[in-house]
Amino acid sequence: HCSQLWRAAVKAPKPATSTALVAEEVEKSMERQSAAEGKHFIVANLAAGDIIGHLDDWEANISCAEAVDRALGAICAAAAKHSYLVAVTADHGLLERFFNEDRSVNLSHTTSRVPFALIPPEGGPAVELEVSPEATLADVAPTVLSLMGIAVPDSMDGVSRARVQGTYERVVLVIADGWGVGSPDRDKNPIAAANTPNMDGLVKEGRYMTLAAAGFAVGLPEGRAGNSETGHLTLGAGRVVLQDELRIARALATGELRDNEAVRFGLEKARENGGEIHVLTMLTTKSSHGNMDEGLAVLRAAAEQGWKRAWLHLILDGRSSPPQGGADLLDVLRSRLPQGIEVEVVTAIGRGYALDRSGGYTDKTKLAYEALIKGNGRSF
C-alpha cells in the first residue's frame, strides 16, 4: 500500500511548482526599490529542484530544471533593468543525478559541487571571480558583503572570491535548491538533458566557479551528502558550522558518546527510578537526520553499565536509504547489536510520520507519538 501511494505521488502534476511566481515576486521587489536610496539585497530560493528531484519521474525532473532556468532568466532580466548584480548558487546537489552508474534511480542528495556565478549589470564596476578548488558555500556571504562594500564580520571565516573595482548597491542572490554540477551524460543527468540556456550561459560567461557543498564543507562528516539545512546555514553564516551529525560521529569514533553526560544521566536516572531503557534511532546508515550507529552506541553504553534489556524504537528511512530497504537494514542492525544486552524492537515508524515537517499533527505526528508513548499501532 505504501509503495502504491509513493508511485502515485511521484508522477508530479506540476514539476515547476511555484517557481515562476517566486521570480515574479523578486521582480516586484526590485521595482518597489527602484527609486529608493541605499543598499538593497534580495535572496530568492528556487526550491523546485529539491522537491521534484526526490521523485522517480525522469520527465518531471527535466521539466523542473527548465522551469528553474526560466525563473533565473526572468530574474536576470529584471536585475539588468534595475541595476542589480546577480549572484547564483545552490545549497546542495540532487537534480543532477537521476540514474546511478548501475542504472538504479537516485532519489537522494549528492556530494556534488554546486555552481557559483556573478552577473553584473551593464555599466557596473568590473568584477571577476577568483576560482579555487578550495572554495565552499562558506565563501558566498563574504563574497556578497565585499561586493556591496560591507565589512566582513570576524565570525565569518569564509573567503571573498570576488575581485571588484568598486561596490554594488544592489545585489540579488539566487539559490537554485538542489542544483548540483553533475555528469554531462544526457541519459543520466536531467539538467544536462534539459534546455537550460541561462545556466549554460553562466558557465560560458567566465564569472563562474563551483563550490563544495557536502561533507566537512558544510559541517557534516566527510563523504556525507549536503542538505538544505546545512547548505542554507553555511550560506548565511559565512563559515562552517559543525552539525550535530558530525559532532556525534566524532564522539562515536573516539568513544566519547559512551561517557556523554546526557547518556550517562539518562541511564542513571532510569536505574534510580526502577525504569527501563527505550532507545529511539533511525534505521539507516546515512541519513542527515541520524543513523543506527547512534542508537547502537547508546545500547553499548547501557550494556557496559550493566543493563540486561532495552527496548528499541525504529524510524524507517526510505529516502537516504533504498525504499522498502528496511528488511535488509534490520539484518545489518541485528549483526551489530552489542553483546550482553537483550534488545527487542517494539515500534517501527516511517520517517514521513515521525519526522513530519508539514504540520500534519492529526494524520502524522499524533500517530507517531501514540505509537511511542502508548504503544498504539498495528501488531506484527
Side-chain angles (χ1 to χ4, degrees):
H1 175 64
C2 290
S3 177
Q4 291 171 355
L5 288 176
W6 172 254
R7 289 290 168 180
V10 298
K11 296 303 178 183
K14 193 179 178 185
T17 65
S18 298
T19 304
L21 296 179
V22 175
E24 290 177 11
E25 289 299 317
V26 171
E27 183 170 8
K28 290 177 183 177
S29 179
M30 290 179 180
E31 290 175 351
R32 287 193 297 269
Q33 299 294 338
S34 60
E37 297 181 356
K39 299 181 185 298
H40 299 283
F41 176 60
I42 299 171
V43 178
N45 188 57
L46 306 180
D50 197 19
I51 300 171
I52 305 303
H54 285 296
L55 303 184
D56 183 1
D57 188 333
W58 170 255
E59 294 300 328
N61 275 241
I62 293 175
S63 296
C64 172
E66 293 179 345
V68 171
D69 188 76
R70 287 194 299 272
L72 174 62
I75 291 173
C76 288
K81 178 181 177 182
H82 297 290
S83 299
Y84 275 78
L85 178 142
V86 183
V88 183
T89 192
D91 55 348
H92 60 79
L94 167 64
L95 193 61
E96 81 286 355
R97 185 190 301 164
F98 187 84
F99 289 111
N100 298 311
E101 291 300 322
D102 61 0
R103 298 300 295 178
S104 62
V105 175
N106 173 66
L107 303 179
S108 302
H109 294 180
T110 69
T111 58
S112 299
R113 294 176 72 86
V114 298
F116 184 50
L118 299 178
I119 312 164
E122 187 174 349
V127 60
E128 297 294 337
L129 272 178
E130 185 179 84
V131 178
S132 170
E134 305 300 320
T136 77
L137 288 181
D139 298 337
V140 173
T143 300
V144 169
L145 290 173
S146 66
L147 286 168
M148 299 185 74
I150 299 173
V152 178
D154 292 339
S155 60
M156 293 186 178
D157 54 19
V159 178
S160 174
R161 299 294 174 181
R163 297 293 175 264
V164 59
Q165 299 176 9
T167 60
Y168 283 88
E169 295 290 297
R170 301 167 184 263
V171 174
V172 55
L173 173 63
V174 181
I175 303 170
D177 213 301
W179 189 292
V181 178
S183 163
D185 190 338
R186 294 172 58 87
D187 292 329
K188 295 178 181 178
N189 181 352
I191 294 175
N195 180 28
T196 56
N198 296 295
M199 280 290 190
D200 295 345
L202 299 184
V203 180
K204 297 174 183 177
E205 177 66 24
R207 299 181 186 89
Y208 172 88
M209 63 192 299
T210 64
L211 306 174
F216 187 70
V218 289
L220 293 170
E222 276 305 314
R224 180 77 74 231
N227 60 68
S228 294
E229 291 82 358
T230 59
H232 285 263
L233 180 61
T234 308
L235 283 168
R239 62 185 176 89
V240 175
V241 180
L242 296 185
Q243 299 298 298
D244 287 344
E245 184 180 2
L246 178 57
R247 294 172 59 233
I248 292 172
R250 289 180 173 180
L252 290 173
T254 62
E256 178 187 342
L257 188 65
R258 181 178 59 247
D259 301 317
N260 179 271
E261 181 180 357
V263 173
R264 186 173 65 252
F265 178 82
L267 294 174
E268 290 174 354
K269 283 297 180 182
R271 179 173 283 115
E272 289 176 10
N273 296 323
E276 297 179 319
I277 300 173
H278 292 256
V279 178
L280 177 66
T281 192
M282 292 282 291
L283 184 64
T284 182
T285 59
K286 57 180 182 179
S287 171
S288 60
H289 298 287
N291 61 73
M292 68 174 71
D293 286 342
E294 297 156 8
L296 288 166
V298 175
L299 290 172
R300 280 193 293 272
E304 290 173 4
Q305 291 193 24
W307 288 89
K308 300 300 182 184
R309 185 177 182 83
W311 308 99
L312 194 57
H313 303 265
L314 302 177
I315 298 177
L316 309 182
D317 190 8
R319 275 181 65 175
S320 298
S321 299
Q324 301 180 343
D328 293 335
L329 287 166
L330 270 175
D331 289 336
V332 175
L333 176 68
R334 184 182 297 111
S335 69
R336 296 171 61 184
L337 289 172
Q339 299 294 317
I341 185 171
E342 182 181 350
V343 179
E344 182 174 345
V345 175
V346 286
T347 61
I349 310 168
R351 61 177 282 166
Y353 291 86
L355 304 183
D356 176 51
R357 293 185 291 185
S358 63
Y361 174 75
T362 302
D363 296 329
K364 295 183 178 180
T365 314
K366 182 181 178 182
L367 299 179
Y369 175 82
E370 292 186 343
L372 291 168
I373 303 302
K374 300 179 180 179
N376 295 347
R378 180 192 292 181
S379 300
F380 291 91

